[in-house]
Amino acid sequence: MTHYVPPLADIAFLLHEVFRVETLSIPGYDELTPDVTGPVLAAASELASEVLAPLNTIGDREGCRLENGIVLTPPGFREAYARVAEGGWIGIDLDPAYGGQGMPHLMNTL
């Protein structure tokens, strides 16, 4: 089994050297400095490589199935989704008034 390593240096290079996101006149982008994006990307990388990527094999082998109107996922998927939700990743770009983190939508697409 291969180990997934997200290309953090490449993503940071694109954000800060190519697109220079913190200089754009889009609301919230001025806060996307390397000091902010670095820890977010590192945490996302850890989640992707240690929790989500290892599920690819079992997901491919077993897949989901529908039983009595209920979708059943392979082992580990429910727990992985819980980790994603607990980490606030689902609402990273949503308004904090509704439980989100209030980051620009760009951070939800990386």
Side-chain angles (χ1 to χ4, degrees):
M1 181 170 102
T2 60
H3 182 72
Y4 175 65
V5 180
L8 295 184
D10 293 343
I11 295 169
F13 175 77
L14 287 170
L15 287 175
H16 302 293
E17 301 299 325
V18 175
F19 301 125
R20 298 176 19 150
V21 293
E22 61 269 27
T23 67
L24 299 175
S25 60
I26 300 172
Y29 278 43
D30 59 329
E31 297 175 15
L32 295 180
T33 64
D35 291 342
V36 172
T37 61
V40 173
L41 292 173
S45 171
E46 182 179 329
L47 182 67
S49 63
E50 296 178 13
V51 177
L52 302 176
L55 293 174
N56 286 339
T57 302
I58 194 166
D60 289 344
R61 264 195 237 127
E62 295 191 19
C64 296
R65 58 189 195 283
L66 182 63
E67 290 184 10
N68 300 319
I70 298 172
V71 175
L72 302 174
T73 58
F77 276 62
R78 178 184 302 260
E79 296 80 9
Y81 181 81
R83 294 264 312 263
V84 170
E86 289 166 5
W89 296 104
I90 294 171
I92 194 167
D93 63 337
L94 300 178
D95 189 326
Y98 301 103
Q101 296 186 37
M103 298 196 86
H105 178 66
L106 173 69
M107 296 304 288
N108 190 41
T109 64
L110 301 175

